[in-house]
Amino acid sequence: MRILCLLAEDPFPPQNGVTIPMYNHIMHFKKMGFTVDYIAFNSLVGSNHKDNKILRVFKELFFIEPYFTIDNYDKYLKDFILKKGGYDVIYYSPISMWKIAKHAKNINLELFDKEPKVIAAISDCYTSVLRGYLNSHTNLVPSHILKFIRSYYMGGLEKKILNNADLVLVQTKKDKKWLEKINYNKNIMIVTNGVDSSLLELKYSFSKNAVYVANIKSDFYRNKLYWLIKEIWPKIVKLHPDAILHIYVGNYEVKLFDDFELNNIKLYTQFVDNLQDIYIGKTISIAPIFKDYGFINKVAESMASGLIVIGDSSAFNSIDAVDSFLVAESGLDFVDCINKVFSDQEYAKRISVNAKQFSILNFSWQMRLKEFNLLLEQWNSEI
């Protein structure tokens, strides 16, 4: 079976919640013996995913397509598919690639008189993300009212888009439930990102070490990191002078932190090959997300490693777990939660054990593959 993967980002190496599932799926397809090609559209020469914002909002308001749609690359796609000899399956991720996938399907049909199956690996159900955020923020401010209205628009648009897919892959039960709520009743499978199995093997050990895996590509996240360094961590050091915060920022220059005193802080600025090195020996994972996202990989990895995750409610949007993490909605909350964990080893161990057990049941990649494999094998037999 020949599979063409149409991706918004290059998944090699896998670095975030978008690219990790792409990487896992591609490697799984190869493991099953399928021929896999992929196009990462962010790496194409002249790639530009933005157009007239007013036009795009107009299209969303009039139920044509969502604001986040990525534009077409008709000629590039046609040349690529012609050169490769056609495909049996078109896989796309995330949902913003739907229009490109639709064109690829039509091109394949036109060139080779073969209608490929379509897999939509949507990462997060956008309607679920919006409504999950609103359910945890009930105050009636204008931005929340607009999000509430938009969530209904998005429900209809998501259903319209996904009707072109033969299979939709989501990461959580919440996402599947929301797709069923908007009356999308085609083939939906929960295939969690999965976490590195080596993380599930890590043993709990108490220490006053915390970790923050930072995304500092935008000002929003850099400001969250600076807030943690300037406002939160100094208060923790006063309460626990032996506490250490380990910050992983990927391949970024240290000069971004020149204006800060990094007391009781260790900074790591290179890509880490072995995920265990990030989490081993730590007790707390700090996750101030404060944004409308769904499944957060660093939260899943931390829980799988047995760390106590402390984050705002949006960090846990897609996680149905009890007594397995701590929610902090303000700076004071973060200080209180970190202090409680560092001050009470029995309390910390209980949360850690719950997080690990939840992760084994919900974040194990292999546990989600049986149904997926059966469908892929069925498609392969029909070629």
Side-chain angles (χ1 to χ4, degrees), residues 13 121 132 155 197 261 324:
S197 59
E261 290 186 17
S324 301

Side-chain angles (χ1 to χ4, degrees), residues 232-244 263-265:
I232 306 303
W233 197 247
K235 294 183 175 68
I236 298 301
V237 172
K238 283 185 179 179
L239 295 167
H240 303 274
D242 53 343
I244 302 292
N263 295 325
N264 291 53
I265 293 175

Side-chain angles (χ1 to χ4, degrees), residues 145-257:
I145 295 170
L146 286 173
K147 282 178 182 175
F148 183 78
I149 295 169
R150 187 166 185 242
S151 70
Y152 281 94
Y153 271 90
M154 290 309 304
L157 287 168
E158 279 192 307
K159 179 183 175 183
K160 177 183 175 182
I161 288 168
L162 296 174
N163 273 332
N164 294 305
D166 298 282
L167 171 64
V168 176
L169 302 181
V170 296
Q171 297 181 49
T172 67
K173 291 177 184 176
K174 275 188 178 180
D175 290 323
K176 184 176 181 181
K177 196 180 294 181
W178 270 105
L179 286 178
E180 290 166 347
K181 273 191 177 183
I182 61 177
N183 296 315
Y184 178 80
N185 295 312
K186 293 177 77 172
N187 205 358
I188 309 168
M189 287 186 190
I190 302 169
V191 182
T192 306
N193 275 6
V195 296
D196 190 308
S197 59
S198 66
L199 299 181
L200 294 167
E201 297 166 3
L202 290 178
K203 304 298 182 185
Y204 172 80
S205 63
F206 180 83
S207 71
K208 291 189 180 181
N209 284 272
V211 62
Y212 179 58
V213 181
N215 172 355
I216 55 174
K217 291 181 180 178
S218 69
D219 288 341
F220 176 85
Y221 285 112
R222 278 195 292 272
N223 289 335
K224 287 299 172 192
L225 176 55
Y226 297 157
W227 169 77
L228 178 62
I229 292 172
K230 287 175 63 178
E231 304 296 331
I232 306 303
W233 197 247
K235 294 183 175 68
I236 298 301
V237 172
K238 283 185 179 179
L239 295 167
H240 303 274
D242 53 343
I244 302 292
L245 174 62
H246 302 260
I247 299 176
Y248 292 83
V249 296
N251 294 314
Y252 285 91
E253 296 182 29
V254 180
K255 68 180 182 181
L256 283 171
F257 304 92

